[in-house]
Amino acid sequence: MMKFVQYQLENNAIVQEYHKSVFQYNDEFGLGYFWNIDKSNDTLGTQYTHHGGVPRSQCFMYIIPEHNMGAFIITNQSGMNTASKMLAILNPVFDELIQQSK
């Protein structure tokens, strides 16, 4: 999965097409090819995210090109609060990496 994350950080024609918005809800949020495109966070810049899972498992993938950063997190547990708990783990990691890059 990390090879896929790394590929999504490349600036080539395929990735540019892959990250293109195909439906725009508003100025801050749209949908691309399999990606949620979030432009609401000025610090992180544009984020490409995808959440998925199967019974008893969930995962998140984040691509944040402005900081040359991506993440993939997976768990073998799935419940009503799993997604929010996964985000609670990722957000401080992103914050720390951004602080270190300044």
Side-chain angles (χ1 to χ4, degrees), residues 4-20 33 35 48 63 65:
F4 183 73
V5 168
Q6 186 176 16
Y7 181 76
Q8 292 300 311
L9 292 168
E10 293 180 14
N11 188 22
N12 62 48
I14 294 170
V15 171
Q16 288 174 9
E17 179 67 25
Y18 205 55
H19 291 176
K20 188 185 296 183
Y33 299 105
W35 294 108
Y48 301 91
I63 307 297

PDB file of all heavy atoms in Angstrom, residues 4-20 33 35 48 63 65:
ATOM      1  N   PHE A   4       1.747   2.369  -3.385  1.00  0.00           N
ATOM      2  CA  PHE A   4       0.634   3.071  -4.002  1.00  0.00           C
ATOM      3  C   PHE A   4       0.563   4.508  -3.482  1.00  0.00           C
ATOM      4  O   PHE A   4       0.361   5.441  -4.259  1.00  0.00           O
ATOM      5  CB  PHE A   4      -0.680   2.337  -3.732  1.00  0.00           C
ATOM      6  CG  PHE A   4      -1.866   2.962  -4.400  1.00  0.00           C
ATOM      7  CD1 PHE A   4      -2.052   2.854  -5.773  1.00  0.00           C
ATOM      8  CD2 PHE A   4      -2.804   3.664  -3.658  1.00  0.00           C
ATOM      9  CE1 PHE A   4      -3.152   3.436  -6.394  1.00  0.00           C
ATOM     10  CE2 PHE A   4      -3.899   4.247  -4.271  1.00  0.00           C
ATOM     11  CZ  PHE A   4      -4.073   4.131  -5.638  1.00  0.00           C
ATOM     12  N   VAL A   5       0.749   4.703  -2.178  1.00  0.00           N
ATOM     13  CA  VAL A   5       0.779   6.045  -1.595  1.00  0.00           C
ATOM     14  C   VAL A   5       1.897   6.854  -2.245  1.00  0.00           C
ATOM     15  O   VAL A   5       1.692   7.994  -2.665  1.00  0.00           O
ATOM     16  CB  VAL A   5       0.966   5.989  -0.058  1.00  0.00           C
ATOM     17  CG1 VAL A   5       1.302   7.361   0.510  1.00  0.00           C
ATOM     18  CG2 VAL A   5      -0.277   5.424   0.612  1.00  0.00           C
ATOM     19  N   GLN A   6       3.081   6.271  -2.352  1.00  0.00           N
ATOM     20  CA  GLN A   6       4.221   6.958  -2.958  1.00  0.00           C
ATOM     21  C   GLN A   6       3.914   7.347  -4.404  1.00  0.00           C
ATOM     22  O   GLN A   6       4.221   8.452  -4.835  1.00  0.00           O
ATOM     23  CB  GLN A   6       5.460   6.075  -2.885  1.00  0.00           C
ATOM     24  CG  GLN A   6       6.717   6.746  -3.352  1.00  0.00           C
ATOM     25  CD  GLN A   6       7.934   5.855  -3.177  1.00  0.00           C
ATOM     26  OE1 GLN A   6       7.826   4.639  -2.982  1.00  0.00           O
ATOM     27  NE2 GLN A   6       9.099   6.466  -3.240  1.00  0.00           N
ATOM     28  N   TYR A   7       3.297   6.450  -5.144  1.00  0.00           N
ATOM     29  CA  TYR A   7       2.940   6.744  -6.533  1.00  0.00           C
ATOM     30  C   TYR A   7       1.962   7.915  -6.603  1.00  0.00           C
ATOM     31  O   TYR A   7       2.072   8.770  -7.486  1.00  0.00           O
ATOM     32  CB  TYR A   7       2.343   5.506  -7.199  1.00  0.00           C
ATOM     33  CG  TYR A   7       1.972   5.749  -8.640  1.00  0.00           C
ATOM     34  CD1 TYR A   7       2.959   5.809  -9.625  1.00  0.00           C
ATOM     35  CD2 TYR A   7       0.651   5.962  -9.018  1.00  0.00           C
ATOM     36  CE1 TYR A   7       2.632   6.054 -10.950  1.00  0.00           C
ATOM     37  CE2 TYR A   7       0.316   6.202 -10.336  1.00  0.00           C
ATOM     38  CZ  TYR A   7       1.309   6.252 -11.302  1.00  0.00           C
ATOM     39  OH  TYR A   7       0.985   6.502 -12.603  1.00  0.00           O
ATOM     40  N   GLN A   8       1.017   7.985  -5.674  1.00  0.00           N
ATOM     41  CA  GLN A   8       0.027   9.067  -5.665  1.00  0.00           C
ATOM     42  C   GLN A   8       0.656  10.425  -5.379  1.00  0.00           C
ATOM     43  O   GLN A   8       0.040  11.458  -5.627  1.00  0.00           O
ATOM     44  CB  GLN A   8      -1.073   8.774  -4.639  1.00  0.00           C
ATOM     45  CG  GLN A   8      -1.946   7.609  -5.000  1.00  0.00           C
ATOM     46  CD  GLN A   8      -2.667   7.817  -6.316  1.00  0.00           C
ATOM     47  OE1 GLN A   8      -3.271   8.852  -6.557  1.00  0.00           O
ATOM     48  NE2 GLN A   8      -2.594   6.829  -7.190  1.00  0.00           N
ATOM     49  N   LEU A   9       1.867  10.446  -4.860  1.00  0.00           N
ATOM     50  CA  LEU A   9       2.570  11.701  -4.596  1.00  0.00           C
ATOM     51  C   LEU A   9       3.396  12.168  -5.795  1.00  0.00           C
ATOM     52  O   LEU A   9       3.934  13.270  -5.780  1.00  0.00           O
ATOM     53  CB  LEU A   9       3.463  11.558  -3.364  1.00  0.00           C
ATOM     54  CG  LEU A   9       2.698  11.393  -2.053  1.00  0.00           C
ATOM     55  CD1 LEU A   9       3.640  10.972  -0.937  1.00  0.00           C
ATOM     56  CD2 LEU A   9       1.948  12.665  -1.697  1.00  0.00           C
ATOM     57  N   GLU A  10       3.490  11.344  -6.833  1.00  0.00           N
ATOM     58  CA  GLU A  10       4.223  11.742  -8.034  1.00  0.00           C
ATOM     59  C   GLU A  10       3.389  12.733  -8.840  1.00  0.00           C
ATOM     60  O   GLU A  10       2.170  12.723  -8.793  1.00  0.00           O
ATOM     61  CB  GLU A  10       4.549  10.515  -8.886  1.00  0.00           C
ATOM     62  CG  GLU A  10       5.531   9.582  -8.214  1.00  0.00           C
ATOM     63  CD  GLU A  10       5.856   8.364  -9.055  1.00  0.00           C
ATOM     64  OE1 GLU A  10       5.535   8.357 -10.266  1.00  0.00           O
ATOM     65  OE2 GLU A  10       6.429   7.426  -8.484  1.00  0.00           O
ATOM     66  N   ASN A  11       4.066  13.578  -9.565  1.00  0.00           N
ATOM     67  CA  ASN A  11       3.377  14.581 -10.375  1.00  0.00           C
ATOM     68  C   ASN A  11       3.496  14.189 -11.843  1.00  0.00           C
ATOM     69  O   ASN A  11       4.292  14.726 -12.582  1.00  0.00           O
ATOM     70  CB  ASN A  11       3.970  15.975 -10.128  1.00  0.00           C
ATOM     71  CG  ASN A  11       3.164  17.053 -10.808  1.00  0.00           C
ATOM     72  OD1 ASN A  11       1.993  16.869 -11.111  1.00  0.00           O
ATOM     73  ND2 ASN A  11       3.789  18.186 -11.049  1.00  0.00           N
ATOM     74  N   ASN A  12       2.680  13.201 -12.231  1.00  0.00           N
ATOM     75  CA  ASN A  12       2.687  12.796 -13.627  1.00  0.00           C
ATOM     76  C   ASN A  12       1.257  12.868 -14.164  1.00  0.00           C
ATOM     77  O   ASN A  12       0.306  13.111 -13.418  1.00  0.00           O
ATOM     78  CB  ASN A  12       3.309  11.406 -13.801  1.00  0.00           C
ATOM     79  CG  ASN A  12       2.533  10.322 -13.084  1.00  0.00           C
ATOM     80  OD1 ASN A  12       1.318  10.231 -13.200  1.00  0.00           O
ATOM     81  ND2 ASN A  12       3.237   9.482 -12.330  1.00  0.00           N
ATOM     82  N   ALA A  13       1.102  12.665 -15.440  1.00  0.00           N
ATOM     83  CA  ALA A  13      -0.211  12.839 -16.084  1.00  0.00           C
ATOM     84  C   ALA A  13      -1.265  11.882 -15.532  1.00  0.00           C
ATOM     85  O   ALA A  13      -2.430  12.255 -15.385  1.00  0.00           O
ATOM     86  CB  ALA A  13      -0.075  12.659 -17.597  1.00  0.00           C
ATOM     87  N   ILE A  14      -0.863  10.664 -15.210  1.00  0.00           N
ATOM     88  CA  ILE A  14      -1.829   9.690 -14.690  1.00  0.00           C
ATOM     89  C   ILE A  14      -2.332  10.122 -13.317  1.00  0.00           C
ATOM     90  O   ILE A  14      -3.533  10.115 -13.056  1.00  0.00           O
ATOM     91  CB  ILE A  14      -1.213   8.279 -14.638  1.00  0.00           C
ATOM     92  CG1 ILE A  14      -0.928   7.792 -16.062  1.00  0.00           C
ATOM     93  CG2 ILE A  14      -2.123   7.307 -13.896  1.00  0.00           C
ATOM     94  CD1 ILE A  14      -0.116   6.527 -16.137  1.00  0.00           C
ATOM     95  N   VAL A  15      -1.424  10.518 -12.444  1.00  0.00           N
ATOM     96  CA  VAL A  15      -1.821  10.963 -11.107  1.00  0.00           C
ATOM     97  C   VAL A  15      -2.648  12.238 -11.193  1.00  0.00           C
ATOM     98  O   VAL A  15      -3.652  12.386 -10.489  1.00  0.00           O
ATOM     99  CB  VAL A  15      -0.589  11.148 -10.199  1.00  0.00           C
ATOM    100  CG1 VAL A  15      -0.962  11.814  -8.882  1.00  0.00           C
ATOM    101  CG2 VAL A  15       0.085   9.801  -9.951  1.00  0.00           C
ATOM    102  N   GLN A  16      -2.270  13.160 -12.062  1.00  0.00           N
ATOM    103  CA  GLN A  16      -3.052  14.385 -12.218  1.00  0.00           C
ATOM    104  C   GLN A  16      -4.481  14.068 -12.648  1.00  0.00           C
ATOM    105  O   GLN A  16      -5.439  14.665 -12.147  1.00  0.00           O
ATOM    106  CB  GLN A  16      -2.384  15.323 -13.214  1.00  0.00           C
ATOM    107  CG  GLN A  16      -1.128  15.961 -12.672  1.00  0.00           C
ATOM    108  CD  GLN A  16      -0.401  16.770 -13.726  1.00  0.00           C
ATOM    109  OE1 GLN A  16      -0.898  17.000 -14.822  1.00  0.00           O
ATOM    110  NE2 GLN A  16       0.802  17.201 -13.396  1.00  0.00           N
ATOM    111  N   GLU A  17      -4.639  13.137 -13.555  1.00  0.00           N
ATOM    112  CA  GLU A  17      -5.984  12.732 -13.987  1.00  0.00           C
ATOM    113  C   GLU A  17      -6.721  12.047 -12.842  1.00  0.00           C
ATOM    114  O   GLU A  17      -7.896  12.300 -12.596  1.00  0.00           O
ATOM    115  CB  GLU A  17      -5.894  11.794 -15.196  1.00  0.00           C
ATOM    116  CG  GLU A  17      -7.225  11.304 -15.702  1.00  0.00           C
ATOM    117  CD  GLU A  17      -8.097  12.389 -16.309  1.00  0.00           C
ATOM    118  OE1 GLU A  17      -7.568  13.414 -16.781  1.00  0.00           O
ATOM    119  OE2 GLU A  17      -9.335  12.205 -16.318  1.00  0.00           O
ATOM    120  N   TYR A  18      -6.031  11.189 -12.127  1.00  0.00           N
ATOM    121  CA  TYR A  18      -6.596  10.440 -11.010  1.00  0.00           C
ATOM    122  C   TYR A  18      -7.104  11.371  -9.906  1.00  0.00           C
ATOM    123  O   TYR A  18      -8.077  11.073  -9.222  1.00  0.00           O
ATOM    124  CB  TYR A  18      -5.510   9.517 -10.479  1.00  0.00           C
ATOM    125  CG  TYR A  18      -5.967   8.283  -9.770  1.00  0.00           C
ATOM    126  CD1 TYR A  18      -6.837   7.377 -10.358  1.00  0.00           C
ATOM    127  CD2 TYR A  18      -5.496   7.998  -8.495  1.00  0.00           C
ATOM    128  CE1 TYR A  18      -7.227   6.220  -9.710  1.00  0.00           C
ATOM    129  CE2 TYR A  18      -5.876   6.847  -7.840  1.00  0.00           C
ATOM    130  CZ  TYR A  18      -6.745   5.963  -8.448  1.00  0.00           C
ATOM    131  OH  TYR A  18      -7.126   4.828  -7.797  1.00  0.00           O
ATOM    132  N   HIS A  19      -6.438  12.506  -9.725  1.00  0.00           N
ATOM    133  CA  HIS A  19      -6.794  13.465  -8.673  1.00  0.00           C
ATOM    134  C   HIS A  19      -7.747  14.556  -9.165  1.00  0.00           C
ATOM    135  O   HIS A  19      -8.080  15.464  -8.412  1.00  0.00           O
ATOM    136  CB  HIS A  19      -5.540  14.106  -8.093  1.00  0.00           C
ATOM    137  CG  HIS A  19      -4.719  13.152  -7.295  1.00  0.00           C
ATOM    138  ND1 HIS A  19      -3.513  13.502  -6.747  1.00  0.00           N
ATOM    139  CD2 HIS A  19      -4.918  11.856  -6.942  1.00  0.00           C
ATOM    140  CE1 HIS A  19      -3.008  12.478  -6.094  1.00  0.00           C
ATOM    141  NE2 HIS A  19      -3.844  11.458  -6.208  1.00  0.00           N
ATOM    142  N   LYS A  20      -8.173  14.469 -10.392  1.00  0.00           N
ATOM    143  CA  LYS A  20      -9.081  15.476 -10.952  1.00  0.00           C
ATOM    144  C   LYS A  20     -10.466  15.342 -10.323  1.00  0.00           C
ATOM    145  O   LYS A  20     -10.984  14.245 -10.156  1.00  0.00           O
ATOM    146  CB  LYS A  20      -9.188  15.281 -12.464  1.00  0.00           C
ATOM    147  CG  LYS A  20      -9.962  16.383 -13.170  1.00  0.00           C
ATOM    148  CD  LYS A  20     -10.148  16.086 -14.638  1.00  0.00           C
ATOM    149  CE  LYS A  20      -8.819  16.058 -15.355  1.00  0.00           C
ATOM    150  NZ  LYS A  20      -8.956  15.836 -16.800  1.00  0.00           N
ATOM    151  N   TYR A  33     -11.723  10.464  -8.924  1.00  0.00           N
ATOM    152  CA  TYR A  33     -11.749   9.039  -9.216  1.00  0.00           C
ATOM    153  C   TYR A  33     -11.385   8.280  -7.946  1.00  0.00           C
ATOM    154  O   TYR A  33     -10.221   8.149  -7.607  1.00  0.00           O
ATOM    155  CB  TYR A  33     -10.769   8.696 -10.331  1.00  0.00           C
ATOM    156  CG  TYR A  33     -11.060   9.390 -11.636  1.00  0.00           C
ATOM    157  CD1 TYR A  33     -10.290  10.451 -12.067  1.00  0.00           C
ATOM    158  CD2 TYR A  33     -12.124   8.970 -12.426  1.00  0.00           C
ATOM    159  CE1 TYR A  33     -10.558  11.080 -13.275  1.00  0.00           C
ATOM    160  CE2 TYR A  33     -12.400   9.597 -13.632  1.00  0.00           C
ATOM    161  CZ  TYR A  33     -11.610  10.652 -14.039  1.00  0.00           C
ATOM    162  OH  TYR A  33     -11.877  11.261 -15.224  1.00  0.00           O
ATOM    163  N   TRP A  35     -11.558   9.182  -4.961  1.00  0.00           N
ATOM    164  CA  TRP A  35     -11.031  10.023  -3.886  1.00  0.00           C
ATOM    165  C   TRP A  35     -12.068  11.034  -3.423  1.00  0.00           C
ATOM    166  O   TRP A  35     -12.787  11.607  -4.228  1.00  0.00           O
ATOM    167  CB  TRP A  35      -9.811  10.821  -4.360  1.00  0.00           C
ATOM    168  CG  TRP A  35      -8.617  10.000  -4.693  1.00  0.00           C
ATOM    169  CD1 TRP A  35      -8.115   9.756  -5.938  1.00  0.00           C
ATOM    170  CD2 TRP A  35      -7.763   9.327  -3.778  1.00  0.00           C
ATOM    171  NE1 TRP A  35      -7.007   8.966  -5.853  1.00  0.00           N
ATOM    172  CE2 TRP A  35      -6.765   8.681  -4.536  1.00  0.00           C
ATOM    173  CE3 TRP A  35      -7.737   9.202  -2.397  1.00  0.00           C
ATOM    174  CZ2 TRP A  35      -5.753   7.932  -3.958  1.00  0.00           C
ATOM    175  CZ3 TRP A  35      -6.737   8.439  -1.825  1.00  0.00           C
ATOM    176  CH2 TRP A  35      -5.755   7.819  -2.599  1.00  0.00           C
ATOM    177  N   TYR A  48      -6.392  14.208  -0.463  1.00  0.00           N
ATOM    178  CA  TYR A  48      -7.120  13.166  -1.183  1.00  0.00           C
ATOM    179  C   TYR A  48      -7.274  12.014  -0.202  1.00  0.00           C
ATOM    180  O   TYR A  48      -6.275  11.480   0.293  1.00  0.00           O
ATOM    181  CB  TYR A  48      -6.359  12.722  -2.428  1.00  0.00           C
ATOM    182  CG  TYR A  48      -6.117  13.868  -3.375  1.00  0.00           C
ATOM    183  CD1 TYR A  48      -4.967  14.637  -3.294  1.00  0.00           C
ATOM    184  CD2 TYR A  48      -7.072  14.202  -4.322  1.00  0.00           C
ATOM    185  CE1 TYR A  48      -4.764  15.708  -4.150  1.00  0.00           C
ATOM    186  CE2 TYR A  48      -6.873  15.264  -5.184  1.00  0.00           C
ATOM    187  CZ  TYR A  48      -5.721  16.014  -5.086  1.00  0.00           C
ATOM    188  OH  TYR A  48      -5.520  17.080  -5.934  1.00  0.00           O
ATOM    189  N   ILE A  63      -3.600  11.218   1.030  1.00  0.00           N
ATOM    190  CA  ILE A  63      -2.544  11.727   0.168  1.00  0.00           C
ATOM    191  C   ILE A  63      -2.564  13.242   0.329  1.00  0.00           C
ATOM    192  O   ILE A  63      -3.601  13.887   0.108  1.00  0.00           O
ATOM    193  CB  ILE A  63      -2.781  11.352  -1.314  1.00  0.00           C
ATOM    194  CG1 ILE A  63      -2.998   9.838  -1.480  1.00  0.00           C
ATOM    195  CG2 ILE A  63      -1.658  11.879  -2.192  1.00  0.00           C
ATOM    196  CD1 ILE A  63      -1.837   8.967  -1.091  1.00  0.00           C
ATOM    197  N   PRO A  65      -0.333  16.078  -1.107  1.00  0.00           N
ATOM    198  CA  PRO A  65       0.792  16.434  -1.987  1.00  0.00           C
ATOM    199  C   PRO A  65       1.579  17.667  -1.535  1.00  0.00           C
ATOM    200  O   PRO A  65       2.801  17.706  -1.706  1.00  0.00           O
ATOM    201  CB  PRO A  65       0.118  16.688  -3.339  1.00  0.00           C
ATOM    202  CG  PRO A  65      -1.166  15.964  -3.277  1.00  0.00           C
ATOM    203  CD  PRO A  65      -1.588  16.007  -1.845  1.00  0.00           C
TER     204      PRO A  65
END
